[in-house]
Amino acid sequence: MTDTAAFPLGVTLPGDDFSQCGTGECRVTLLPTLYRLNESISTATDLAGPLGLVLEVMQRDLKMDRGTVTLLDRRTGRISIHDSFGLTEEEENRGIYSLGEGITGKVVESGTPIIVPRLHEDPDFLDRTGAHSGERGQKTAYLCVPIRLGGRVLGTIGGERRYLSRRLLKQDAEFLAAIALMIAPAVELHLIASVERLALEQENRALKHALKEKFHPQSIIGNSKAMMADVYELIEKVAKTRVTVLILGESGVGKELVASAIHYGSDRAEKPFIKFNCAAIPENLAESQLFGHEKGAFTGAMAQHKGHFEQAHGGTIFLDEVGELSSTVQAKLLRVLQDRSIERIGGRGPIRIDVRIIAATNRDLAQMVAEGTFREDLFYRLNVLPMTVPPLRQRGSDVILLADHFVASKSRAYGKDVKRISTPALNMLMSYHWPGNVRELENVIERAVILSDDDVIHAWNLPPSLQAPTADSAGRSVGLDEKLGSIEFELIVDALKASNGNVAAAAEALGLTRRVLGIRLQRHGIDFHDFRTARRHPEASAG
């Protein structure tokens, strides 16, 4: 084997002298170092401590000029320098290899150590870092050993210096191999944690992006004047500010969706959005949940707890049903709005917070102030920019847009193929007063999808509360011609809906000529333009 060839550990080289350390650097003295390294690995909480000690030993005790620890990213196949000495930061950043590339890549690919007695003469030496520029002709040796665990190669330990004794070169390679074996479990844990952390960060970014898209104002269903003027325009304007918003409206109108749209449309979209239902938490727990507590502040406080305001730092907190807060919590909330600080239960001082507050209620807070059940000063602090979400009964054709959206989403959820709502069912939906608003409509459509036996939701699939008696059924009998005309009307309307107002396609679906269908459209007073595409968002949120 020539001087410039790589050779494995365990091979006796010509000229080796095993009776003594030729340079006086006997490695027997390193046994206490191995013990210290093992102790460092067993008590370390991360990889920085053990690797720092490894590199220190290589530089101080093995008298190496340069040393590196590389790690393999199994997802990309990229090998990069994780830590080093003797390299600048720029040189370290350039030390990136692929499997089988250069000496480092070959060690990772094969899982076997490589010793190169004359580094600059080896054809596999790439000098990827650029640290050896101008060093050609030097007789520097290079040792590279794999970090292996359970047959898997995790990275390498590499070091270089000039050796006069081949025996010492071989001993140092064996010493590095022993160190690599010791630190392998810690390296494995580090790689697992890094991969999981990266995956979680990527997932978190994807979820935040999805939420931002879902709760964008354009994704809230509805094109009624009440929504366009009173909600969408305000959301766009308010989202760009940090003003406190009070969302008013009946239960079930979608106040939480509006709050979400404001947060995800603001410059705080990447920060936390914390929701708190003031009516769902008992009075004795609300204070702790909102403002947190210190360990031992009360019976059962076994550890320090950060409240929702601290958790929302930098982002937004949404206080739903704010009118249900007790007088004690109202006083503390007022302090947050005034001073932008909170104090944990049992705490010793205020904690500064940066939180945007969006509150919502279905109650008349002004009336509560008059009755003395809600603090007047808190009301004016919350009522900086009030926004009223209209009830569903005032949103006209939005009922149909929402119903179509719920039909599509519930059909997917239950694995059904319901495609549309029949005209009589639509008429029933439009004539109902919807005391439960959007939430009630969603429940009604979910029930109808479950009960539907074909691809259509019929009037009989709707609950009894929508089955209001008609003038015909209550007052007079209906003749055959009128019944047939009603059925014809429904069939024509359904065909126009299915064809998106295309008269030719509707006529073909009904088995009629376009001319005959045109006559019947006139007879029933139907305008096919009414069935052209409206503003719909099949994947949008309901609000």
Side-chain angles (χ1 to χ4, degrees):
M1 180 176 294
T2 64
D3 271 355
T4 57
F7 57 88
L9 301 184
V11 175
T12 302
L13 299 177
D16 278 345
D17 178 8
F18 293 98
S19 61
Q20 60 182 356
C21 298
T23 63
E25 301 176 88
C26 188
R27 298 312 184 211
V28 175
T29 59
L30 291 178
L31 290 177
T33 301
L34 290 175
Y35 175 80
R36 188 158 57 97
L37 178 60
N38 184 62
E39 188 176 39
S40 173
I41 294 171
S42 63
T43 58
T45 56
D46 57 29
L47 194 59
L51 285 193
L53 181 56
V54 168
L55 294 173
E56 178 188 336
V57 169
M58 291 171 65
Q59 185 175 22
R60 185 192 62 210
D61 299 323
L62 302 188
K63 297 181 173 53
M64 292 188 169
D65 301 318
R66 296 185 183 97
T68 60
V69 176
T70 66
L71 298 182
L72 168 67
D73 186 338
R74 289 198 169 276
R75 295 168 306 142
T76 62
R78 191 176 78 162
I79 308 160
S80 56
I81 296 176
H82 181 77
D83 206 350
S84 70
F85 68 87
L87 297 177
T88 66
E89 183 177 353
E90 184 180 355
E91 290 168 344
E92 186 177 291
N93 291 335
R94 289 198 293 259
I96 299 175
Y97 308 88
S98 300
L99 287 173
E101 184 181 38
I103 300 170
T104 300
K106 289 183 181 299
V107 170
V108 174
E109 185 178 52
S110 66
T112 57
I114 291 179
I115 304 175
V116 182
R118 293 178 182 263
L119 178 61
H120 296 85
E121 298 176 12
D122 193 278
D124 289 325
F125 173 53
L126 304 178
D127 192 20
R128 183 62 50 82
T129 65
H132 297 80
S133 178
E135 293 184 0
R136 291 291 174 183
Q138 292 195 17
K139 297 181 179 180
T140 302
Y142 182 67
L143 326 174
C144 189
V145 299
I147 303 172
R148 299 182 55 176
L149 184 68
R152 298 185 307 278
V153 179
L154 311 176
T156 68
I157 299 176
E160 60 181 83
R161 60 164 279 183
R162 186 170 183 175
Y163 284 90
L164 299 177
S165 167
R166 291 195 174 190
R167 181 176 182 233
L168 186 63
L169 170 62
K170 183 167 171 288
Q171 281 183 336
D172 282 356
E174 290 171 344
F175 183 75
L176 289 184
I179 290 178
L181 189 63
M182 293 173 65
I183 68 169
V187 171
E188 172 84 337
L189 289 175
H190 170 81
L191 290 174
I192 292 173
S194 298
V195 168
E196 288 181 349
R197 183 174 63 252
L198 182 60
L200 286 173
E201 288 174 354
Q202 291 174 339
E203 182 182 5
N204 192 34
R205 283 194 296 270
L207 285 173
K208 284 182 177 178
H209 178 74
L211 286 170
K212 191 171 183 178
E213 291 296 316
K214 179 179 180 181
F215 292 113
H216 191 277
Q218 294 178 354
S219 297
I220 300 178
I221 296 174
N223 56 10
S224 62
K225 183 179 179 181
M227 290 296 288
M228 298 289 285
D230 298 338
V231 179
Y232 298 148
E233 288 185 10
L234 270 177
I235 288 175
E236 293 284 1
K237 292 177 180 178
V238 168
K240 299 173 183 178
T241 71
R242 298 191 176 187
V243 67
T244 299
V245 180
L246 178 62
I247 304 174
L248 306 170
E250 298 176 5
S251 179
V253 294
K255 296 188 289 293
E256 183 178 320
L257 289 175
V258 172
S260 299
I262 293 172
H263 170 74
Y264 288 106
S266 73
D267 58 359
R268 296 172 176 250
E270 300 300 319
K271 300 297 183 179
F273 179 53
I274 304 297
K275 307 171 189 177
F276 181 76
N277 190 325
C278 304
I281 303 294
E283 180 182 341
N284 60 333
L285 295 178
E287 188 176 354
S288 173
Q289 288 292 309
L290 282 172
F291 308 110
H293 61 255
E294 298 290 350
K295 180 179 179 181
F298 51 83
T299 303
M302 305 302 292
Q304 184 191 78
H305 168 68
K306 289 185 177 181
H308 290 324
F309 274 100
E310 281 189 84
Q311 294 172 31
H313 182 71
T316 305
I317 187 167
F318 174 54
L319 303 176
D320 198 8
E321 304 299 345
V322 71
E324 307 301 325
L325 288 176
S326 68
S327 58
T328 302
V329 181
Q330 286 181 36
K332 284 206 167 189
L333 178 57
L334 178 63
R335 178 178 178 179
V336 174
L337 287 163
Q338 289 175 333
D339 303 336
R340 295 294 166 177
S341 65
I342 59 101
E343 187 170 340
R344 300 187 192 126
I345 299 174
R348 297 183 179 180
I351 300 171
R352 299 289 297 176
I353 56 168
D354 173 23
V355 175
R356 181 184 193 165
I357 297 174
I358 301 177
T361 183
N362 60 1
R363 302 184 64 178
D364 186 344
L365 292 186
Q367 180 63 32
M368 292 179 66
V369 169
E371 296 170 353
T373 55
F374 197 84
R375 293 182 64 114
E376 184 177 16
D377 45 6
L378 176 59
F379 170 67
Y380 289 120
R381 286 281 184 176
L382 290 174
N383 200 40
V384 177
L385 203 155
M387 178 187 298
T388 301
V389 182
L392 187 55
R393 60 183 172 275
Q394 295 179 7
R395 293 175 56 179
S397 60
D398 286 355
V399 173
I400 306 304
L401 296 179
L402 288 163
D404 285 346
H405 164 72
F406 289 135
V407 166
S409 62
K410 302 304 178 184
S411 295
R412 288 193 300 270
Y414 290 104
K416 304 194 75 170
D417 192 29
V418 181
K419 293 183 172 63
R420 60 188 180 88
I421 305 172
S422 70
T423 300
L426 283 176
N427 291 337
M428 292 170 64
L429 294 174
M430 288 295 294
S431 61
Y432 186 59
H433 61 292
W434 298 109
N437 292 294
V438 179
R439 189 179 297 123
E440 183 182 10
L441 174 60
E442 181 178 9
N443 293 339
V444 164
I445 297 300
E446 183 172 17
R447 175 186 187 274
V449 168
I450 293 172
L451 296 178
S452 176
D453 294 322
D454 52 21
D455 63 351
V456 179
I457 288 179
H458 300 281
W460 57 83
N461 297 134
L462 300 179
S465 58
L466 273 69
Q467 308 282 350
T470 63
D472 289 339
S473 63
R476 63 182 177 81
S477 60
V478 179
L480 178 61
D481 287 344
E482 193 168 347
K483 286 184 177 179
L484 290 175
S486 177
I487 293 172
E488 182 179 75
F489 176 87
E490 179 179 340
L491 290 172
I492 291 173
V493 168
D494 285 347
L496 286 171
K497 285 174 59 182
S499 66
N500 196 28
N502 187 314
V503 177
E508 183 179 354
L510 293 168
L512 303 174
T513 64
R514 180 169 181 164
R515 177 177 173 277
V516 170
L517 179 57
I519 294 172
R520 298 190 182 185
L521 289 176
Q522 288 183 329
R523 181 192 303 166
H524 291 289
I526 300 173
D527 185 352
F528 67 88
H529 293 98
D530 294 339
F531 300 90
R532 294 288 168 87
T533 302
R535 176 186 167 198
R536 293 170 186 258
H537 302 277
E539 299 299 329
S541 304

